[in-house]
Amino acid sequence: MKTKDIYKSFSKVQQIIIDEIQQLDSSSKKNITKWKHGQGGGGISCEISGNRNIEKAAVNFSSIIGEKLPSSALEKTGMKGLKKFNATGVSVIVHPWNPKAPCAHLNIRFFEAVVGKKTIWWFGGGFDLTPYFISKSDMLFWKNSAETLCNKYNKGFYKKYNNNCNKYFFLPHRNEPRGVGGIFFDQLNNLDYDVCKSFTLDCAATFIQSYSKLFNKKKNLKYTKKERAFQLYRRGRYVEFNLLYDRGTLFGLQSGGRTESILMSMPPKVSWSKDYDFEVYEKKLLKMFALARQ
Amino acid sequence: MKTKDIYKSFSKVQQIIIDEIQQLDSSSKKNITKWKHGQGGGGISCEISGNRNIEKAAVNFSSIIGEKLPSSALEKTGMKGLKKFNATGVSVIVHPWNPKAPCAHLNIRFFEAVVGKKTIWWFGGGFDLTPYFISKSDMLFWKNSAETLCNKYNKGFYKKYNNNCNKYFFLPHRNEPRGVGGIFFDQLNNLDYDVCKSFTLDCAATFIQSYSKLFNKKKNLKYTKKERAFQLYRRGRYVEFNLLYDRGTLFGLQSGGRTESILMSMPPKVSWSKDYDFEVYEKKLLKMFALARQ
């Protein structure tokens, strides 16, 4: 089983990212919960929060054993005769205090299943950035780091995976992207296992490096009450996306996953009221979202 | 078409409820938006908010003409050959400032369709109460007013409609009811049209009377920062219900309804962080939710 190998590597990824996020806020504390899954396996959830920079971050690891694949996953692959599967993953989300610092999300996952006498596997993952205020140069820095990562592996990856990301992180009812994007890939197994694994781990490394750089640049900037209110208002979009569309969230909740871990990604404070006129902020932001898609 | 008659009656209901809610908070202001639906018809959305008692309330009227029934509605009735339908309704939600005052929700709706050469119609609706702090006597007052209303029409209504309400307003991923319940009915057409209409309008009247009474009793009670934080935290459950399960919300968003009107029910301020230890509050509240189901 490759899952054993991945278990170790992904656990290490979780540990590294926890440490990196704690370094972003010297006041931050972590709260770790270990849990078991009904059908086998379990996870380690880590919530980080501080008074200065990290309002709330979640760095969750899980490795689940299952007998019955969710219909959404079966659909895609047309697999029949599935006997057993392992799904291992790390999810990261960071909600900063400072509205000038962006919110960001990472997910890496590995799936392995026995179908008849065959074992199949694939990797999936991606990351995206959801800023409230962002300059063109910072947006391009984020995109370029994703492109550089992809190009190390395959010249076609970036275009494809960036496109996936743009399609996935979109709110049809608002006709709005969730943010400035990043990359998103699924069912990656058309290269050597070692290369696929290396790419997936590199995603996590690129994510935390680029995000930490952006975060540190922004975390001590001054901001107004109105800017903070705009952040809370835009976080509403994040909640709408996660509860209305996010496949991971919906599958997790419907399949009896651990609710507190799944919803750890929810922003700590959210507002659906426009306490100020946000038109100028919103126009600028949506313009940058559109520019990121060009 | 009966829809013409209902249009008038439901418009009046909206007007009465807006006036009643404004009386709950002398500082409150209303913000009215008229909108048109793509396929025909439209609505009037009214948002009310004040500095003292009503943090946010939405009283929305809509009357929509459609050609294609949503699959969820077709499923239920097995109707084929549907040519045209009218759906008219009023939705009300109130989010008070004071955590001691409960949040409440009302919906009434009328559906009329031409199927082949026949015209079919039905009424639906209901109301429920979502408190953060509630005494047994207040909970029983709410339940009794619903039961008294039902008993005026049919001795079997209350048990059936209260049961519907309990089943519908439930969060499986939390294993929690949304509140202390009320009533919920759908496809009511097995009595005379006039009786069904009268019952539906009486629902709205009972709702606003009972709710106003509870609200006025609570709105000036003192509360602590911790109690307010608990209210914001529990509002998270409301958001989860509306975006994950509420048929009206999901259908509205998926069928190209007016997003701002549909999501006007969202609480103004929400929190997914436990700023305090809420265990004692939560235990008491969930005990009352359970008691309301007995």
Side-chain angles (χ1 to χ4, degrees):
Chain A
M1 294 292 282
K2 294 182 170 66
T3 293
K4 252 193 173 173
D5 174 47
I6 290 298
Y7 194 101
K8 267 193 209 164
S9 302
F10 280 18
S11 294
K12 210 171 143 193
V13 167
Q14 183 192 28
Q15 198 46 61
I16 290 168
I17 293 182
I18 290 171
D19 292 345
E20 291 276 349
I21 290 178
Q22 284 218 270
Q23 283 190 27
L24 298 175
D25 183 342
S26 56
S27 76
S28 69
K29 284 177 186 159
K30 62 185 175 192
N31 185 1
I32 288 177
T33 313
K34 292 184 184 183
W35 54 274
K36 284 191 174 174
H37 189 252
Q39 291 184 55
I44 301 171
S45 298
C46 176
E47 193 173 326
I48 301 167
S49 58
N51 303 321
R52 287 185 206 140
N53 310 110
I54 302 284
E55 191 172 352
K56 184 178 165 192
V59 187
N60 294 342
F61 167 85
S62 64
S63 187
I64 299 297
I65 300 163
E67 301 284 332
K68 221 180 143 185
L69 202 63
S71 59
S72 57
L74 272 171
E75 255 172 49
K76 279 195 226 164
T77 55
M79 289 188 297
K80 278 179 186 173
L82 182 87
K83 280 187 184 155
K84 200 182 154 184
F85 74 90
N86 285 267
T88 305
V90 177
S91 284
V92 182
I93 175 114
V94 187
H95 293 289
W97 279 108
N98 194 317
K100 309 274 176 83
C103 164
H105 157 260
L106 162 79
N107 172 256
I108 55 171
R109 52 193 181 273
F110 179 73
F111 180 88
E112 191 171 24
V114 182
V115 184
K117 285 183 181 172
K118 266 179 69 183
T119 299
I120 56 162
W121 58 266
W122 69 67
F123 288 88
F127 51 73
D128 70 302
L129 193 76
T130 310
Y132 311 104
F133 298 92
I134 192 167
S135 65
K136 192 177 166 187
S137 62
D138 286 335
M139 180 272 283
L140 290 175
F141 161 76
W142 180 259
K143 278 176 72 83
N144 288 340
S145 67
E147 190 167 1
T148 306
L149 156 76
C150 289
N151 286 345
K152 279 200 277 175
Y153 293 85
N154 183 307
K155 288 289 171 194
F157 274 7
Y158 181 68
K159 200 179 166 184
K160 192 173 158 194
Y161 297 160
N162 177 247
N163 199 32
N164 287 348
C165 184
N166 287 341
K167 267 192 200 159
Y168 184 70
F169 292 110
F170 187 80
L171 289 79
H173 68 287
R174 299 284 190 182
N175 194 29
E176 274 177 20
R178 183 167 92 165
V180 298
I183 54 169
F184 188 87
F185 64 97
D186 206 4
Q187 297 183 35
L188 176 68
N189 60 5
N190 55 344
L191 300 172
D192 274 356
Y193 167 78
D194 287 332
V195 180
C196 294
K197 179 184 164 188
S198 169
F199 174 68
T200 304
L201 297 178
D202 220 352
C203 272
T206 300
F207 166 82
I208 196 64
Q209 277 163 28
S210 312
Y211 183 62
S212 296
K213 204 168 164 183
L214 272 182
F215 192 95
N216 281 323
K217 197 176 154 189
K218 307 289 175 185
K219 70 179 182 186
N220 293 319
L221 291 179
K222 287 200 174 155
Y223 60 87
T224 64
K225 272 190 178 177
K226 182 176 168 182
E227 286 165 336
R228 170 76 178 162
F230 182 61
Q231 177 191 38
L232 265 54
Y233 175 73
R234 292 293 311 178
R235 280 177 177 172
R237 302 290 205 266
Y238 213 84
V239 172
E240 290 171 21
F241 181 85
N242 278 13
L243 298 182
L244 288 170
Y245 307 113
D246 188 60
R247 288 198 285 260
T249 304
L250 298 180
F251 169 65
L253 294 177
Q254 286 159 7
S255 66
R258 185 176 175 265
T259 297
E260 289 293 343
S261 296
I262 298 161
L263 295 184
M264 211 181 264
S265 64
M266 288 291 121
K269 298 275 179 280
V270 188
S271 165
W272 270 272
S273 60
K274 286 194 176 177
D275 303 319
Y276 301 84
D277 179 357
F278 293 135
E279 208 187 327
V280 175
Y281 293 168
E282 204 144 42
K283 250 189 173 168
K284 264 193 191 170
L285 184 63
L286 294 176
K287 205 178 149 187
M288 214 49 83
F289 286 4
L291 201 62
R293 299 192 153 219
Q294 281 177 5
Chain B
M1 292 294 281
K2 293 180 171 67
T3 294
K4 252 194 174 173
D5 174 46
I6 291 298
Y7 193 101
K8 268 194 210 163
S9 302
F10 280 19
S11 295
K12 210 171 142 192
V13 166
Q14 182 192 30
Q15 198 45 60
I16 290 169
I17 293 183
I18 291 170
D19 292 345
E20 291 277 349
I21 290 178
Q22 284 218 270
Q23 282 190 28
L24 298 175
D25 184 342
S26 56
S27 76
S28 68
K29 283 177 186 159
K30 63 185 173 192
N31 184 1
I32 289 177
T33 314
K34 292 184 182 183
W35 54 274
K36 284 191 173 175
H37 189 251
Q39 291 184 55
I44 301 171
S45 299
C46 177
E47 193 172 326
I48 301 167
S49 57
N51 303 321
R52 287 186 205 141
N53 310 111
I54 302 283
E55 192 173 352
K56 183 178 164 192
V59 187
N60 294 342
F61 167 85
S62 64
S63 187
I64 298 297
I65 301 164
E67 299 286 331
K68 219 180 146 185
L69 203 62
S71 60
S72 57
L74 272 171
E75 256 172 47
K76 280 194 221 164
T77 55
M79 289 186 297
K80 279 180 186 170
L82 182 86
K83 280 186 187 155
K84 200 182 153 183
F85 74 91
N86 284 267
T88 305
V90 177
S91 283
V92 182
I93 176 114
V94 187
H95 294 289
W97 280 107
N98 195 318
K100 308 273 177 83
C103 164
H105 157 258
L106 162 79
N107 171 257
I108 55 172
R109 53 193 181 272
F110 180 72
F111 180 88
E112 192 171 22
V114 182
V115 185
K117 285 184 183 175
K118 267 179 68 183
T119 299
I120 56 162
W121 57 267
W122 68 67
F123 288 89
F127 50 75
D128 70 303
L129 193 75
T130 311
Y132 311 104
F133 298 92
I134 192 167
S135 65
K136 192 177 165 185
S137 62
D138 286 335
M139 181 272 284
L140 289 175
F141 162 76
W142 180 259
K143 276 174 72 84
N144 288 340
S145 67
E147 190 167 1
T148 306
L149 155 76
C150 288
N151 285 345
K152 278 200 279 174
Y153 293 85
N154 183 308
K155 288 289 172 194
F157 274 7
Y158 181 68
K159 200 180 166 184
K160 192 174 155 193
Y161 297 159
N162 177 246
N163 199 31
N164 288 348
C165 184
N166 287 342
K167 267 192 202 159
Y168 184 70
F169 292 110
F170 188 79
L171 289 78
H173 67 287
R174 298 283 190 182
N175 194 29
E176 274 179 19
R178 183 168 91 164
V180 299
I183 54 170
F184 188 87
F185 64 99
D186 205 3
Q187 297 184 35
L188 176 69
N189 59 6
N190 55 345
L191 300 171
D192 274 355
Y193 166 78
D194 287 332
V195 179
C196 293
K197 179 184 164 188
S198 169
F199 174 68
T200 305
L201 296 178
D202 221 352
C203 272
T206 300
F207 165 83
I208 196 64
Q209 276 163 29
S210 312
Y211 184 63
S212 296
K213 205 169 163 182
L214 273 182
F215 191 96
N216 281 323
K217 197 177 155 189
K218 307 288 175 184
K219 70 179 183 187
N220 293 319
L221 292 179
K222 287 199 175 156
Y223 59 88
T224 63
K225 271 190 178 179
K226 182 175 167 181
E227 285 165 337
R228 170 75 178 162
F230 182 61
Q231 177 192 37
L232 265 53
Y233 175 72
R234 291 295 308 180
R235 280 177 177 172
R237 302 290 205 269
Y238 213 84
V239 172
E240 290 172 20
F241 181 84
N242 279 13
L243 298 182
L244 287 170
Y245 307 114
D246 189 59
R247 289 198 285 261
T249 305
L250 297 181
F251 169 64
L253 294 178
Q254 286 159 7
S255 66
R258 185 176 175 266
T259 297
E260 289 293 344
S261 297
I262 298 161
L263 295 183
M264 211 182 264
S265 64
M266 288 291 122
K269 297 274 178 280
V270 189
S271 165
W272 271 273
S273 61
K274 287 194 176 178
D275 302 320
Y276 300 84
D277 179 357
F278 293 136
E279 208 186 324
V280 175
Y281 293 167
E282 204 143 43
K283 249 189 172 167
K284 263 192 190 169
L285 185 63
L286 293 176
K287 205 177 150 187
M288 213 50 80
F289 286 3
L291 201 63
R293 299 192 154 221
Q294 282 176 5

